Amino acid sequence: MHILEIPSFLPPYGGYFCIEQAKALMSRGHQVGVLHCQQLGVTVYPWHYLTARTGRWHEEIKPFGDSRTLNVYRTNMRGVPRNVRINQQRYCRIVSEMYAEYCARYGTPDILHAHCTQWAGTAAAMISQQTGIPYYITEHLSSGIFRSAYGEHWEKDAWARTLLRETMEHARCVMPVADELVADLAPLFGRDYRWQTVSNVIDTTFYAYRDREPREGRAFRFCCLANANGAFLRMKGYDTLLAAFSQMKNCELHIAGRETDGKALSSIIAGMPNKADIHVHGELSRDEVRQLLYSSDALVLASRSEVQPLVLMEAMSTGMPVVATTAAPMSLRIPGACFTAAADSALSLMEAMTAVQAVTPSPVISHAIERMASPETVAQKLETLFTETLETL
């Protein structure tokens, strides 16, 4: 079948999971394309907002080193600051225009697969209404992200809630990446839609198991991979993490992510008694992230809010044990691999970080993630759902 992926985000704004899903579906013999309009925010990447490429362009990716091609049609849209409604309308119009251009070049898809209701989902719903092509939505965003995106009082604004609720209700299936997301979004959008959980996909070959350096004669190495820009500084629980780490001995903490080397986090670290044991790496490439995982003994994520944190899955895919909070979904709380602490509790987090030091990286942990989120596992689930739709048309 011909599947058109419509992501709401692609790097540097995140969203690499869409490319991984596209590759996984291609490996099962499907024709897959990607259509992407990136809504640029002036406060997120100011320099990118000013200098990003204009126009629309095609990219050809050869993910398998053979003749198979992932066709990507892209553009950027500079958002109007503080006007989500206008941005939403412009986005849907642009994606709809690009869809017609995509079809003229690559043919009409059988399935539209959007990532996130907010942007791509609404555009897929518009295209589906115009063409009759069925659409699916993989939902990655929590209620907190929706509230942040639409403003403090957005729930009183009928246009936004109605648009998003109807987008979910008219989809052939909404696929939350964790069961808990359905209950989290219910106060905003209800439950009057078909849903089935499908995990994010992890490149388990890229994030493969590797033995670590022996621990004898050195400090235990924790890493934390989480952005620290804007609301993420609090949402990712950096204050709790640093309070817990300040009480620990013979440990190192390696921090990486967007703006982790910025003033907000640096000012907190500067006042810590064991600041010499904290190493800040800033924003890393995908290869650099993997190298940090391979050079660490455990990952810690002190989040106050999460849906299905990819970094926990990537770390465990390399065989590494992790420490998370109760914000992490139950599907990731793998016994013996994921140690859970109460959110907002430095004492609980410190206890979990102490307990995880008794565990060494193991292929058993890697295999648990492979069974849940490998490209083959996720592609099979998506293929089954999409095929059910085509058989009923």
Side-chain angles (χ1 to χ4, degrees):
M1 73 183 83
H2 183 174
I3 303 159
L4 179 59
E5 301 279 344
I6 309 178
S8 294
F9 315 99
L10 281 182
Y13 289 80
Y16 194 79
F17 45 74
C18 172
I19 302 298
E20 294 295 348
Q21 280 198 1
K23 289 162 55 179
L25 289 165
M26 287 179 66
S27 70
R28 295 183 63 81
H30 301 292
Q31 178 184 351
V32 185
V34 176
L35 191 161
H36 178 53
C37 174
Q38 179 62 62
Q39 205 268 139
L40 305 177
V42 67
T43 60
V44 180
Y45 276 118
W47 182 246
H48 192 235
Y49 183 90
L50 297 172
T51 63
R53 183 173 178 175
T54 58
R56 300 173 186 177
W57 67 95
H58 296 267
E59 298 176 357
E60 291 188 351
I61 301 174
K62 300 283 188 181
F64 307 108
D66 55 24
S67 61
R68 289 174 291 180
T69 301
L70 175 61
N71 296 304
V72 183
Y73 189 30
R74 304 186 66 169
T75 194
N76 291 312
M77 183 192 90
R78 287 171 173 79
V80 178
R82 301 184 182 279
N83 203 318
V84 181
R85 188 169 190 173
I86 288 178
N87 292 334
Q88 191 95 50
Q89 292 169 342
R90 290 175 61 218
Y91 177 91
C92 288
R93 175 180 56 79
I94 290 170
V95 172
S96 183
E97 292 173 356
M98 293 176 69
Y99 172 78
E101 295 161 0
Y102 174 93
C103 292
R105 183 161 178 158
Y106 303 114
T108 302
D110 301 303
I111 296 287
L112 304 175
H113 180 201
H115 289 266
C116 304
T117 303
Q118 179 188 352
W119 297 106
T122 57
M126 174 184 288
I127 295 168
S128 179
Q129 186 177 29
Q130 296 168 346
T131 65
I133 304 296
Y135 70 98
Y136 288 73
I137 302 172
T138 291
E139 188 53 75
H140 306 264
L141 304 182
S142 68
S143 60
I145 298 295
F146 280 104
R147 290 188 174 100
S148 175
Y150 284 94
E152 183 179 354
H153 304 293
W154 83 279
E155 294 171 59
K156 299 177 182 179
D157 197 339
W159 79 266
R161 293 189 70 184
T162 299
L163 174 66
L164 298 174
R165 186 187 69 250
E166 291 181 349
T167 295
M168 299 173 80
E169 291 174 354
H170 294 158
R172 290 301 176 101
C173 187
V174 175
M175 300 174 291
V177 296
D179 291 346
E180 292 87 346
L181 191 53
V182 177
D184 177 56
L185 296 178
L188 304 182
F189 310 123
R191 298 173 182 257
D192 193 17
Y193 54 89
R194 182 191 177 200
W195 67 273
Q196 182 171 327
T197 299
V198 178
S199 171
N200 270 308
V201 63
I202 294 297
D203 188 342
T204 49
T205 300
F206 183 82
Y207 293 105
Y209 173 78
R210 180 180 291 181
D211 290 330
R212 285 358 186 235
E213 177 187 347
R215 295 181 186 173
E216 291 77 12
R218 65 172 177 85
F220 189 93
R221 295 177 188 143
F222 286 101
C223 67
C224 176
L225 291 155
N227 292 337
N229 56 306
F232 283 104
L233 184 64
R234 173 172 170 75
M235 188 174 73
K236 297 299 182 180
Y238 271 112
D239 54 338
T240 305
L241 170 60
L242 294 175
F245 188 75
S246 69
Q247 304 300 314
M248 304 193 71
K249 306 296 183 184
N250 197 31
C251 293
E252 294 178 2
L253 176 60
H254 294 259
I255 296 174
R258 189 185 307 165
E259 289 193 26
T260 52
D261 52 355
K263 292 182 179 179
L265 197 57
S266 297
S267 62
I268 302 174
I269 295 172
M272 293 182 60
N274 54 348
K275 60 184 178 183
D277 298 322
I278 302 175
H279 307 271
V280 179
H281 300 270
E283 191 166 7
L284 300 180
S285 69
R286 188 165 176 254
D287 287 335
E288 290 169 334
V289 165
R290 181 176 63 173
Q291 186 54 46
L292 180 58
L293 293 175
Y294 283 151
S295 62
S296 302
D297 300 307
L299 179 136
V300 56
L301 193 65
S303 301
R304 291 182 168 90
S305 175
E306 285 291 356
V307 177
Q308 191 196 38
L310 291 177
V311 67
L312 290 182
M313 300 169 72
E314 291 164 354
M316 287 190 284
S317 183
T318 71
M320 179 191 296
V322 300
V323 175
T325 67
T326 50
M330 291 300 299
S331 60
L332 296 188
R333 301 187 203 179
I334 300 169
C338 182
F339 291 72
T340 307
D344 266 325
S345 171
L347 176 60
S348 180
L349 188 67
M350 182 181 66
E351 291 172 348
M353 291 172 70
T354 300
V356 79
Q357 294 180 52
V359 179
T360 56
S362 165
V364 174
I365 300 175
S366 295
H367 294 156
I369 294 299
E370 186 174 9
R371 290 191 296 271
M372 177 195 308
S374 71
E376 181 70 12
T377 298
V378 174
Q380 284 183 346
K381 290 182 178 179
L382 292 173
E383 185 181 75
T384 298
L385 286 168
F386 296 163
T387 301
E388 287 176 358
T389 288
L390 296 182
E391 290 175 348
T392 61
L393 294 178

